[in-house]
Amino acid sequence: MTSMPKHVEPNYNLITFLLFWCALIVVSSVYVTTPLIGVFAKEFQVTQTTAAWTGSIFSLFYAVGFLVMGPLADRYGRKQMIVFGLGVLSLVTFAVGFSNHLLWLIILRGLQGFISAAFAPAALAYVFDVYPKRKLVTTIGFTSFGFLTAGIFGQVVAGFIDQTFDWYFVFILFGGLYLVSLLAVAKILPTTKSEKTPISMAYHFEQVKKIFAQKNFRLCYVITIMLLLTFIGMYTVLGDYLKNAPFYLGDKEILYVRAAGLAGMILSPFTGFLAKKLGLLVVLRVGLAVSVGGLVMLGVDSNLPVIICMSVVYVAGISLTFPAIMTLIGEWSGNIRAIAASIYTFILFIGASLGPIIASGLMQTGSYFITFVVLALLLSAGLVASFFIRS
């Protein structure tokens, strides 16, 4: 008598690593032009402000792309959207590397940003589709770790390649990584069913209205906009702070200080363990409180080792907050999860765009203490909002 085949459980560890890896390399594209702005200004004989559009245009189209890609992930399937995104992204990234005119470089960076947005909302929804509840927070923690680490990884890799080879090798390398990752995703990730939701704007507008009608979502999005706003704002201020008296650090030393933040990011994968012990809302509030404290202390003390430690403390709090809030949004949003995730990531990167602007404006006061304290107060608004969220 032939026995029935047993259900084979997916290799969750391998899938988790692949999601972390894709998050790391996709979001690194946001940051790879940061160390290259001076290189572009020199090569194309333009001002640094003009060359900076290679980064700004990516962020702008990245944010807009989330509003389009999330609904498509609901309609056509999460894995399918990740595969499509990586495939097109690899081609566009290769093309960026062969740009010989700044205008084409900026146009292709915008397209690269728009296509990159296919990953994050689809990946968040995919985790809820595939993983058992006991593994959700830990997996989202690892994926968040990839998102956060990309901020340092992208800059370090791009700077190293430019110094060793030339700037266009940065995009050839990442184009190759996206292609290899596409093959791995196609082979390893189990396919999930698509929702076959309508693709009309009216339908998606109705879903967005449903989401914003709920108080918990509104409060979560208030917290969300403060996360990258203060994260990028803090590092913008920190770089300027350490270049001047009494520190006078060079670019390489400042990069080491930024890299120290990785020590705080390693908490992200452990959010699941802490959530089981304390609850998601407690972890969210603790993470925000720790980050607020770190920001305040950055402005209070002018001792370099203390500043480095407090930057790590701030990042540690943020690394707990990210997976906690992503999990809450995912749990509440049901079968419109990708749309809710799209709004989350859109608001997140609106905050990222505002961060350098607000930080630069605050620095004009001439006081780093005031700048760090105002950033802490903005994040405190998110902490206060967290106490009004109800399970």
Side-chain angles (χ1 to χ4, degrees):
M1 184 176 176
T2 306
S3 60
M4 293 292 290
K6 293 182 179 179
H7 172 69
V8 179
E9 188 175 77
N11 186 336
Y12 291 117
N13 291 337
L14 183 58
I15 296 170
T16 299
F17 173 77
L18 191 52
L19 290 173
F20 156 77
W21 169 253
C22 289
L24 176 67
I25 61 170
V26 170
V27 180
S28 286
S29 279
V30 178
Y31 304 98
V32 292
T33 54
T34 302
L36 301 178
I37 288 171
V39 178
F40 293 148
K42 185 177 179 181
E43 173 149 341
F44 297 110
Q45 297 182 329
V46 295
T47 64
Q48 293 232 1
T49 303
T50 303
W53 273 101
T54 57
S56 300
I57 199 74
F58 185 104
S59 298
L60 176 63
F61 277 84
Y62 194 42
V64 172
F66 289 131
L67 301 180
V68 177
M69 299 299 179
L72 291 178
D74 275 339
R75 170 73 179 178
Y76 296 108
R78 327 306 194 188
K79 176 183 174 178
Q80 294 87 329
M81 205 64 205
I82 295 172
V83 168
F84 166 78
L86 287 171
V88 178
L89 185 58
S90 66
L91 296 175
V92 174
T93 305
F94 280 128
V96 174
F98 290 99
S99 302
N100 55 10
H101 193 282
L102 184 62
L103 179 60
W104 275 112
L105 181 59
I106 291 172
I107 290 171
L108 288 169
R109 280 286 288 167
L111 181 57
Q112 192 187 26
F114 185 79
I115 296 298
S116 295
F119 177 75
L124 178 59
Y126 182 85
V127 170
F128 279 87
D129 287 349
V130 171
Y131 281 77
K133 191 167 185 178
R134 69 182 188 278
K135 294 179 178 286
L136 279 176
V137 186
T138 300
T139 305
I140 290 173
F142 273 102
T143 308
S144 299
F145 182 49
F147 290 137
L148 284 169
T149 310
I152 295 171
F153 179 81
Q155 293 184 60
V156 171
V157 170
F160 174 78
I161 291 175
D162 174 58
Q163 292 170 23
T164 310
F165 302 102
D166 210 334
W167 69 265
Y168 51 83
F169 278 106
V170 173
F171 299 99
I172 292 171
L173 170 66
F174 275 94
L177 292 177
Y178 297 141
L179 186 59
V180 172
S181 302
L182 160 67
L183 298 174
V185 166
K187 183 171 179 60
I188 294 170
L189 263 58
T191 303
T192 59
K193 66 181 181 68
S194 58
E195 298 292 337
K196 297 302 178 189
T197 56
I199 57 175
S200 69
M201 289 299 294
Y203 170 81
H204 292 296
F205 184 68
E206 283 301 313
Q207 306 315 309
V208 170
K209 279 171 57 179
K210 280 183 188 177
I211 289 167
F212 278 100
Q214 298 179 52
K215 181 182 175 183
N216 278 353
F217 279 113
R218 295 197 301 271
L219 292 168
C220 278
Y221 292 144
V222 168
I223 298 168
T224 298
I225 198 166
M226 299 305 175
L227 297 182
L228 282 189
L229 188 157
T230 58
F231 183 82
I232 294 179
M234 185 276 282
Y235 275 114
T236 301
V237 178
L238 191 62
D240 193 73
Y241 187 29
L242 298 178
K243 278 182 181 177
N244 296 308
F247 308 107
Y248 297 111
L249 297 189
D251 289 340
K252 186 175 286 187
E253 288 82 4
I254 291 172
L255 188 59
Y256 292 151
V257 174
R258 293 178 190 274
L262 288 169
M265 292 177 186
I266 61 173
L267 275 182
S268 212
F270 298 101
T271 308
F273 172 79
L274 293 172
K276 287 175 185 175
K277 299 290 183 183
L278 305 172
L280 267 175
L281 282 175
V282 173
V283 172
L284 176 67
R285 290 161 187 161
V286 168
L288 287 166
V290 168
S291 289
V292 169
L295 278 174
V296 171
M297 289 304 297
L298 277 168
V300 168
D301 205 301
S302 59
N303 182 280
L304 184 59
V306 173
I307 287 171
I308 294 171
C309 288
M310 287 304 102
S311 73
V312 173
V313 168
Y314 164 78
V315 172
I318 288 291
S319 71
L320 288 175
T321 305
F322 262 107
I325 202 162
M326 286 171 70
T327 304
L328 289 171
I329 289 170
E331 285 183 347
W332 293 332
S333 50
N335 63 354
I336 54 170
R337 192 168 287 127
I339 297 176
S342 295
I343 298 169
Y344 161 79
T345 40
F346 173 75
I347 291 172
L348 190 68
F349 278 90
I350 290 296
S353 301
L354 293 174
I357 298 169
I358 291 173
S360 299
L362 290 169
M363 282 192 290
Q364 290 177 12
T365 64
S367 170
Y368 290 107
F369 170 74
I370 290 174
T371 303
F372 283 121
V373 168
V374 172
L375 289 175
L377 287 172
L378 288 171
L379 192 57
S380 296
L383 175 59
V384 170
S386 72
F387 284 95
F388 291 92
I389 295 173
R390 295 290 175 262
S391 298

